[in-house]
């Protein structure tokens, strides 16, 4: 509020100008594309200024108090919305001091839907704000071209069919035209272009092929979104240049994402006002805790935690790969999963390492997502917590596996099913074992009878 009082008061006058007509789809673009970035109040202020500019006379002005009443908002809310419009490129403000202060508001032309999605900075920010699925669904709705039947033929006349060429004496010098076209435009950028040129030459990469005007613009916008410094930029650019020395924008963005998540956790980059970031600055106690956590590791577990805290999942997969390269599909899958479930980079690293060890070095999407959803519900936020829950789950799995094998052995022992041939063989053995005993008994009885008969005959002869 103190800042607003120094720069804006209710009695300050305003004059609004629209320098060029807006696109036909401006209302749709403001509501669906700009609003998630600058809020509903930001769009409402822009639309109110736009409507007012149509009816305001050149020499007339209105007070900010009148605009506040029109929008039913406070002056602080108007000032915050105005700053967002200026930052996003929809408004330029100028001040004139006199007997009373006058603000001149120059409305800038919003992008068309096509231009918005082609702008790397705005499109990336919108995707992070509304989510990937909603982003692509919205893009499909707004950019679906008109489709003609397959059997139509073009009957459009070309320029040469309708017009003749101009006379030679009126034709400007073609050499002069080509010279003016070939003159390079001065590129305004904050990037260290000289250093980047040297770095690319050292890597045997043609810098002119990579550092084109459009690529420099793209790089500058993305490093602002993903908070990439110069050393990280070198790594990201080298990663994005393919074998044909072509700069792959998708690969560059993925690398910038990895850098951002490594530094700031799993929350994707979004637009925050400076007041919010100052209010959410960490306290002294938090910084002390963080510094104590970053002390030199002593045990193997601490070393492993530090390792997971200082790498990205791309680097983890590269370390585990024999070729030293990570699968692009796997990296994209992990990045998307990390964003959807809100897991930090270190937690995701532990999860990937755990799944690879448990699943024979295979990354199963369903298995990975099941554990990611579970850890997200458990509120796992750092590598130490992730390793603890991974150990606990592994121990539970091993215990369950052991009990299962024991139960199976008990069942096999109590209900042992023997084959039919084995039963028959056992019965035959019993019969053969019993048969000699029977024969021996019969022999004994026979001998006994013979002995009795002999005794009787002997006694008769004696008498």
């Amino acid at each position: 509020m103190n800042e607003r009082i120094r720069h804006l008061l209710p009695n300050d006058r305003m004059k609004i100008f629209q320098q060029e007509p807006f696109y036909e789809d401006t209302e749709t673009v403001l509501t669906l594309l700009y609003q998630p970035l600058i809020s509903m109040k930001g769009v409402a202020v822009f639309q109110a200024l736009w409507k007012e500019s149509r009816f305001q006379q050149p020499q007339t002005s209105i007070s900010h108090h009148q605009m506040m009443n029109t929008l039913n908002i406070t002056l602080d809310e108007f000032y915050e919305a105005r700053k967002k419009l200026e930052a996003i490129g929809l408004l330029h403000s100028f001040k004139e001091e006199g007997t009373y202060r006058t603000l001149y508001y120059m409305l800038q032309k919003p992008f068309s839907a096509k231009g918005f999605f082609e702008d790397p900075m705005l499109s990336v920010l919108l995707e992070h704000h509304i989510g990937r699925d909603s982003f692509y669904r919205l893009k499909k709705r707004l950019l679906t071209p008109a489709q003609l039947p397959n059997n139509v033929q073009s009957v459009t006349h070309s320029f040469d069919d309708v017009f003749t060429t101009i006379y030679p004496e009126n034709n400007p010098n073609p050499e002069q035209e080509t010279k003016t076209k070939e003159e390079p435009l001065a590129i305004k950028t904050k990037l260290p272009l000289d250093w980047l040129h040297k770095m690319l030459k050292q890597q045997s990469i043609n810098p002119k092929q990579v550092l084109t005007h459009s690529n420099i613009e793209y790089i500058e916008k993305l490093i602002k979104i993903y908070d990439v410094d110069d050393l990280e930029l070198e790594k990201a650019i080298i990663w994005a240049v393919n074998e044909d020395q072509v700069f792959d924008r998708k690969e560059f963005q993925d690398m910038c994402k990895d850098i951002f998540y490594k530094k700031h956790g799993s929350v994707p980059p979004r637009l925050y006002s400076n007041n919010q970031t100052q209010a959410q600055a960490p306290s002294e106690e938090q910084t002390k805790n963080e510094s104590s956590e970053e002390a030199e590791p002593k045990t193997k577990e601490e070393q492993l935690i530090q390792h997971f805290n200082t790498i990205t999942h791309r680097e983890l997969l590269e370390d585990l790969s024999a070729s030293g390269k990570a699968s692009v599909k796997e990296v994209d899958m992990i990045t998307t999963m990390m964003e959807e479930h809100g897991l930090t980079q270190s937690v995701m690293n532990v999860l990937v390492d755990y799944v690879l060890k448990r699943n024979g070095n295979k990354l199963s999407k369903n298995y990975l997502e099941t554990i990611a959803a579970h850890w997200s519900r458990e509120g796992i936020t750092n590598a130490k917590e992730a390793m603890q829950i991974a150990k606990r789950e592994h121990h539970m799995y091993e215990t369950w596996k052991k009990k299962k094998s024991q139960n199976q052995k008990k069942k096999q022992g109590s209900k042992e099913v023997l084959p039919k041939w084995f039963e028959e063989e056992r019965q035959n053995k019993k019969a053969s074992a019993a048969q000699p005993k029977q024969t021996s008994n019969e022999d004994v009885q026979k001998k006994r009878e013979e002995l009795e008969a002999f005794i009787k005959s002997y006694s008769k002869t004696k008498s």
Side-chain angles (χ1 to χ4, degrees):
M1 186 174 181
N2 293 330
E3 182 196 357
R4 193 269 302 160
I5 291 173
R6 291 198 306 270
H7 296 290
L8 189 63
L9 295 171
N11 291 331
D12 291 343
R13 312 297 295 178
M14 71 166 68
K15 289 186 177 181
I16 309 156
F17 299 93
Q18 180 185 346
Q19 288 185 312
E20 55 181 327
F22 293 167
Y23 292 109
E24 290 182 4
D25 62 350
T26 295
E27 294 279 2
T28 304
V29 170
L30 286 171
T31 305
L32 298 179
L33 305 182
Y34 279 98
Q35 188 166 281
L37 304 181
I38 59 174
S39 79
M40 191 165 58
K41 285 179 183 174
V43 172
V45 168
F46 183 85
Q47 289 176 327
L49 294 174
W50 180 20
K51 303 301 179 187
E52 184 64 31
S53 69
R54 295 182 179 182
F55 303 106
Q56 196 177 65
Q57 299 298 322
Q59 300 302 321
T60 60
S61 64
I62 63 169
S63 68
H64 282 76
H65 188 268
Q66 186 176 340
M67 182 60 70
M68 287 161 53
N69 291 336
T70 302
L71 292 167
N72 193 22
I73 60 174
T74 64
L75 193 58
D76 288 328
E77 290 173 329
F78 176 87
Y79 184 64
E80 289 299 319
R82 191 192 95 181
K83 287 198 298 184
K84 288 180 180 179
L85 291 171
E86 291 166 353
I88 209 75
L90 292 178
L91 185 68
H92 290 174
S93 302
F94 302 90
K95 180 178 69 173
E96 182 187 32
E97 296 286 356
T99 52
Y100 50 85
R101 186 162 47 192
T102 303
L103 276 299
Y104 292 86
Y105 293 137
M106 306 290 291
L107 299 177
Q108 303 302 303
K109 189 176 185 178
F111 280 113
S112 63
K114 185 172 182 292
F116 189 98
F117 285 109
E118 287 176 350
D119 184 83
M121 188 172 185
L122 294 179
S123 59
V124 167
L125 285 170
L126 181 65
E127 181 182 347
H128 289 313
H129 270 268
I130 66 175
R132 180 174 292 187
D133 292 339
S134 299
F135 176 81
Y136 284 107
R137 188 164 56 248
L138 198 59
K139 186 176 181 180
K140 188 177 179 181
R141 262 174 58 194
L142 296 178
L143 297 185
T144 303
Q147 293 184 347
L148 296 172
N150 296 328
N151 57 350
V152 298
Q153 294 180 350
S154 175
V155 292
T156 308
H157 294 84
S158 66
F159 179 86
D160 293 334
D161 292 337
V162 180
F163 299 104
T164 58
T165 55
I166 57 175
Y167 291 103
E169 58 268 19
N170 292 333
N171 188 17
N173 189 357
E175 292 181 2
Q176 190 175 356
E177 275 189 359
T178 54
K179 281 181 184 178
T180 55
K181 285 181 182 177
E182 288 174 0
E183 284 179 1
L185 296 171
I187 301 173
K188 292 182 180 180
T189 178
K190 293 180 181 178
L191 294 177
L193 290 181
D194 294 336
W195 175 72
L196 290 175
H197 273 266
K198 288 179 183 177
M199 178 270 295
L200 289 171
K201 284 180 180 177
Q202 288 174 357
Q203 299 292 329
S204 302
I205 299 171
N206 184 7
K208 290 182 180 179
Q209 196 169 345
V210 175
L211 298 176
T212 61
H213 186 275
S214 61
N215 283 345
I216 289 172
E217 229 175 55
Y218 180 82
I219 291 169
E220 195 164 23
K221 288 182 177 180
L222 255 67
I223 64 172
K224 191 181 292 184
I225 294 172
Y226 291 109
D227 188 26
V228 178
D229 60 30
D230 289 347
L231 292 175
E232 293 162 342
L233 175 62
E234 175 186 351
K235 187 177 180 182
I237 290 177
I238 292 173
W239 175 269
V241 177
N242 61 22
E243 296 174 354
D244 300 325
Q245 296 201 356
V246 176
F247 181 74
D248 190 329
R249 294 189 175 190
K250 178 71 170 60
E251 287 295 320
F252 180 76
Q253 184 183 351
D254 288 344
M255 193 64 184
C256 289
K257 273 187 185 180
D258 288 351
I259 292 167
F260 182 86
Y261 290 136
K262 183 178 177 181
K263 290 162 74 173
H264 302 289
S266 63
V267 179
R270 294 179 180 176
L271 292 179
Y272 304 100
S273 64
N274 290 328
N275 296 335
Q276 278 180 284
T277 53
Q278 288 172 5
Q280 294 170 359
S283 62
E284 291 183 7
E285 292 181 4
Q286 287 176 326
T287 52
K288 284 180 183 177
N289 292 335
E290 287 174 3
S291 61
S292 64
E293 285 177 4
E294 291 175 0
E296 279 198 22
K298 296 178 182 178
T299 63
K300 286 185 178 180
E301 184 178 350
E302 288 176 352
Q303 289 174 357
L304 195 57
I305 289 171
Q306 189 186 49
H307 176 66
F308 287 135
N309 284 335
T310 53
I311 63 169
T312 64
H313 52 272
R314 183 193 297 272
E315 292 168 335
L316 178 64
L317 293 175
E318 287 173 352
D319 292 342
L320 296 171
S321 173
S323 64
K325 291 184 179 180
S327 165
V328 177
K329 287 184 179 179
E330 287 182 345
V331 171
D332 288 344
M333 176 186 72
I334 296 168
T335 304
T336 305
M337 208 172 291
M338 187 167 68
E339 291 175 0
E340 288 177 352
H341 295 288
L343 297 177
T344 61
Q345 180 64 73
S346 57
V347 172
M348 202 68 204
N349 291 338
V350 177
L351 175 56
V352 171
D353 184 69
Y354 174 65
V355 169
L356 287 172
K357 286 177 179 176
R358 279 280 304 273
N359 208 28
N361 284 329
K362 294 176 184 176
L363 271 181
S364 170
K365 184 180 178 182
N366 294 334
Y367 186 41
L368 195 70
E369 191 155 23
T370 301
I371 302 176
H374 176 224
W375 288 11
S376 177
R377 289 192 297 270
E378 290 290 324
I380 307 300
T381 56
N382 55 53
K384 188 174 182 180
E385 293 176 354
M387 287 174 67
Q388 286 173 351
I389 194 172
K391 285 178 184 176
R392 192 164 67 245
E393 288 181 355
H394 181 69
H395 178 70
M396 289 170 63
Y397 174 75
E398 290 296 327
T399 307
W400 171 82
K401 193 176 177 183
K402 192 175 180 181
K403 285 183 179 178
K404 187 179 178 183
S405 62
Q406 287 175 351
N407 291 335
Q408 284 179 347
K409 285 180 181 178
K410 285 180 182 178
K411 288 179 181 178
Q412 287 177 358
S414 59
K415 295 181 180 179
E416 189 175 3
V417 179
L418 299 174
K420 196 172 182 180
W421 60 267
F422 186 80
E423 285 289 341
E424 290 176 355
E425 188 176 345
R426 191 163 65 174
Q427 293 293 336
N428 291 335
K429 282 182 180 179
K430 284 182 181 179
S432 60
Q435 191 172 2
K437 288 182 181 179
Q438 281 182 346
T439 54
S440 62
N441 290 337
E442 288 174 359
D443 292 340
V444 171
Q445 186 68 24
K446 190 176 181 182
K447 286 180 180 179
R448 186 179 291 171
E449 289 176 355
E450 288 177 354
L451 184 60
E452 287 177 355
F454 175 74
I455 292 169
K456 284 179 181 179
S457 61
Y458 178 75
S459 59
K460 283 179 183 180
T461 54
K462 194 174 180 181
S463 56

